[in-house]
Amino acid sequence: MDTKTEETSETRRVAKAAIFILFCVLLERYSTAGISSILFLFFNQKIGFDVHESTAGYHTYECLLYLFPVIGGIIADSWLGRYRTMVCMSIIVAIGSLIVAVGVIDAFNLPIKVFSVIGLLVLTFGDACLVTLVPTFGAEQYKSTEVKSIDWFFSLFYIMYNCGSIVSRFISPILREDVKCFGNDDCFPLAFGLPAILMSIVTVLIMISNRFSEAKQTQGTTVMNVLACIKHAIVMKFKLRKNPPAKNLHLLDYSEEKYGTELVRDTQIISKVIVLYLPIIIFWALFYQQGSRWVYQATRMNGDLGFYTIKADQFNVVNPLFVIALIPVFEHILYPLLSKVAVTTALQKATLGGVVGGVSFLVSAIVELQLEDKYLHMTWLIPQYLLMASAEVLVTVPLMNFSYSEAPESMKTILQALFFLSAGLGNLFVVIVAGTKFIESQFYEFVIYAVLMFADIIVFGMLARRYKSSVQPNSEELIENSKFNQESYQTRL
């Protein structure tokens, strides 16, 4: 092995454009988390929804936030390009936030429900399209051989993401309740208006980052191309069912003549990963209840610390605090320990994270049972938040990196969008459960979610065990990185 080559390959760097992207993540996450942290109580206290309706409304917002990224990928790959789409969408988020902020000013006597729905839809669409474009644009600043730098970027990305969450989840509830403005007894207008200002700054930072960009965006393959390839393959197989080819073909091979070898191969790769994402839907269903069911738990608890009283929607700040603290602990302590028992890949870590997520809901069920008999302090919520933060680190960071590294060059935006789509479907699952009011007891609902998570993660573990990576280093990479990079490709999953 060439020692000099290995040392060069291991050197981590932060690209100039990536620095601005990371600050964009900080401000964009403040805007998103700031809105989501107060949204449940906004629906409940300002709009007048009951607990179940407020839960459904909150998760509808989160659901759309992760369903729209596919549209953003289509716009970026087939029309505007990644950079211009990011600029347009950041402006749209600012406009949507401003619409909600104006609509909740009592002095204007505007139809608050109409303005809230329109504003939330607009800002959700814009922010959802940014979700996949920002990390992909940042990761594109590195060569595919810079494995350490890409890993480091995604870690920094998630740290900045959670720093934005910490600040917003602490400040937004204060703006909502403690500040009085425009003749209101609260200041929801400021809580929604500040994100509009910050997203305007994000627009400027994206423009600056593009000036330092080291990457040339390749023409992406859109979701429409992928769907057309799959549709054609199904049609052709049906037509040839009476006279099948001599050799046994993969379903998508039936599209090779029309769409070419590359698109068929890339679609086969992406379809394997999509199957893995299906069980992750249940994890997201549990994860996002931190902003709804767990907030409702906090409203029935004592937040007095002596020197300060924690607001129910403010307690969510402990999640990103735990995440930031846990990332280095996991990197330097937990992961080396797990490697000794052969838990090293992203899929193995995600499997463990699903188990931990299920345990967090068992703990929340115990807390709920205690709440039925007595008035508890909010610190009782800490164990379940700590467990869910641990699950988040084990699932989200590895799978974001997994999505980027496994995706063919032409499909990196698509696969990131489909990863976030699983989060949207998880929220949709909660919307259905909360909307039907099928389970009246919150205690039993938490237990059922936990059991469902344990059963679901068994399926995920089985799929992960059978999954074979499609990432193969090309000849140039082998020459440049020698044996070191061969080992890196095999261990990144």
Side-chain angles (χ1 to χ4, degrees):
M1 181 187 302
D2 188 338
T3 304
K4 184 176 180 180
T5 302
E6 179 179 348
E7 290 175 353
T8 302
S9 300
E10 289 185 345
T11 301
R12 295 189 305 193
R13 72 183 182 95
V14 181
K16 290 182 180 179
I19 295 174
F20 292 97
I21 289 298
L22 290 171
F23 280 105
C24 286
V25 172
L26 176 70
L27 299 180
E28 184 272 338
R29 183 53 186 166
Y30 176 95
S31 302
T32 306
I35 291 171
S36 64
S37 66
I38 63 173
L39 199 57
F40 177 82
L41 293 182
F42 173 71
F43 285 136
N44 186 242
Q45 298 178 359
K46 199 73 176 178
I47 305 297
F49 292 166
D50 64 24
V51 173
H52 293 294
E53 291 170 338
S54 299
T55 298
Y58 171 84
H59 286 283
T60 298
Y61 165 80
E62 293 287 354
C63 175
L64 294 176
L65 191 61
Y66 295 108
L67 290 179
F68 286 148
V70 174
I71 300 175
I74 294 173
I75 294 172
D77 286 339
S78 61
W79 182 26
L80 295 179
R82 195 160 293 133
Y83 161 67
R84 282 180 289 180
T85 304
M86 288 166 61
V87 171
C88 291
M89 294 306 162
S90 59
I91 294 173
I92 287 175
V93 177
I95 293 172
S97 301
L98 189 60
I99 291 173
V100 181
V102 172
V104 294
I105 298 176
D106 291 343
F108 291 168
N109 198 28
L110 297 170
I112 183 172
K113 288 186 179 180
V114 174
F115 269 70
S116 298
V117 170
I118 293 175
L120 287 172
L121 283 174
V122 171
L123 73 88
T124 302
F125 175 77
D127 194 58
C129 292
L130 283 174
V131 165
T132 57
L133 300 179
V134 171
T136 303
F137 184 78
E140 281 183 335
Q141 305 308 313
Y142 305 93
K143 299 176 182 177
S144 60
T145 54
E146 295 182 281
V147 177
K148 293 286 185 180
S149 294
I150 294 174
D151 288 345
W152 181 231
F153 169 76
F154 279 112
S155 293
L156 290 175
F157 173 91
Y158 214 66
I159 289 173
M160 296 297 277
Y161 180 91
N162 281 281
C163 282
S165 294
I166 290 170
V167 178
S168 64
R169 290 179 180 181
F170 183 79
I171 292 179
S172 290
I174 294 176
L175 300 180
R176 170 190 65 80
E177 183 173 319
D178 295 344
V179 179
K180 315 296 179 185
C181 61
F182 300 105
N184 296 0
D185 293 332
D186 50 43
C187 203
F188 276 107
L190 182 57
F192 283 106
L194 183 57
I197 298 173
L198 296 180
M199 290 308 298
S200 301
I201 299 174
V202 167
T203 305
V204 176
L205 289 176
I206 291 173
M207 293 178 177
I208 296 174
S209 71
N210 190 58
R211 294 178 62 88
F212 293 98
S213 178
E214 302 175 29
K216 291 183 179 179
Q217 181 185 341
T218 57
Q219 183 64 35
T221 302
T222 70
V223 174
M224 304 310 295
N225 295 133
V226 173
L227 293 177
C229 179
I230 296 172
K231 176 185 176 182
H232 183 74
I234 294 172
V235 171
M236 291 304 298
K237 184 168 184 177
F238 179 77
K239 285 183 177 180
L240 298 174
R241 68 188 185 282
K242 294 182 179 179
N243 298 299
K247 62 178 182 178
N248 188 24
L249 297 178
H250 185 282
L251 172 63
L252 293 172
D253 288 335
Y254 286 89
S255 289
E256 187 171 332
E257 183 176 345
K258 181 176 181 178
Y259 289 97
T261 303
E262 183 178 356
L263 179 59
V264 169
R265 182 201 64 208
D266 290 352
T267 304
Q268 288 175 349
I269 294 172
I270 208 170
S271 63
K272 290 196 307 178
V273 179
I274 291 172
V275 172
L276 279 174
Y277 289 163
L278 293 177
I280 297 298
I281 292 172
I282 300 300
F283 172 78
W284 295 124
L286 274 66
F287 175 80
Y288 281 101
Q289 290 188 63
Q290 293 178 94
S292 57
R293 295 303 199 196
W294 287 9
V295 169
Y296 181 58
Q297 273 190 320
T299 61
R300 295 171 287 144
M301 303 175 82
N302 177 19
D304 186 15
L305 297 177
F307 60 92
Y308 184 77
T309 300
I310 306 174
K311 298 169 179 58
D313 50 351
Q314 200 174 45
F315 194 83
N316 264 327
V317 75
V318 301
N319 171 264
L321 280 172
F322 282 145
V323 168
I324 290 179
L326 289 172
I327 287 177
V329 172
F330 280 26
E331 288 288 341
H332 299 292
I333 299 176
L334 180 63
Y335 291 159
L337 291 175
L338 290 176
S339 66
K340 295 180 179 180
V341 291
V343 177
T344 57
T345 70
L347 300 182
Q348 289 172 332
K349 293 172 184 174
T351 303
L352 178 60
V355 174
V356 176
V359 173
S360 73
F361 260 64
L362 287 180
V363 173
S364 65
I366 294 172
V367 172
E368 186 66 29
L369 199 59
Q370 296 297 315
L371 269 175
E372 294 177 1
D373 299 322
K374 56 193 164 195
Y375 189 50
L376 302 177
H377 197 274
M378 281 188 194
T379 50
W380 274 68
L381 295 172
I382 288 178
Q384 66 197 58
Y385 272 94
L386 178 59
L387 287 166
M388 186 57 79
S390 301
E392 179 182 356
V393 175
L394 287 165
V395 173
T396 308
V397 179
L399 288 188
M400 280 185 67
N401 198 344
F402 173 83
S403 299
Y404 183 81
S405 62
E406 282 294 291
E409 286 297 323
S410 63
M411 295 189 176
K412 292 194 180 294
T413 302
I414 290 178
L415 199 52
Q416 289 284 355
L418 292 173
F419 171 61
F420 286 106
L421 177 63
S422 66
L425 294 175
N427 280 283
L428 180 60
F429 185 86
V430 180
V431 171
I432 295 171
V433 173
T436 58
K437 303 179 183 179
F438 179 71
I439 307 170
E440 290 296 333
S441 169
Q442 189 64 75
F443 166 75
Y444 286 115
E445 182 177 279
F446 285 152
V447 171
I448 291 172
Y449 271 118
V451 172
L452 185 61
M453 184 72 253
F454 293 139
D456 180 72
I457 208 61
I458 291 174
V459 176
F460 178 80
M462 294 171 62
L463 293 172
R465 188 179 182 85
R466 295 172 53 189
Y467 183 84
K468 294 185 183 301
S469 173
S470 302
V471 177
Q472 296 293 335
N474 60 40
S475 58
E476 293 180 3
E477 290 169 345
L478 289 175
I479 294 173
E480 181 177 348
N481 292 283
S482 187
K483 183 179 177 181
F484 169 75
N485 233 25
Q486 294 182 46
E487 295 169 351
S488 296
Y489 272 100
Q490 294 167 0
T491 58
R492 284 179 72 187
L493 297 184

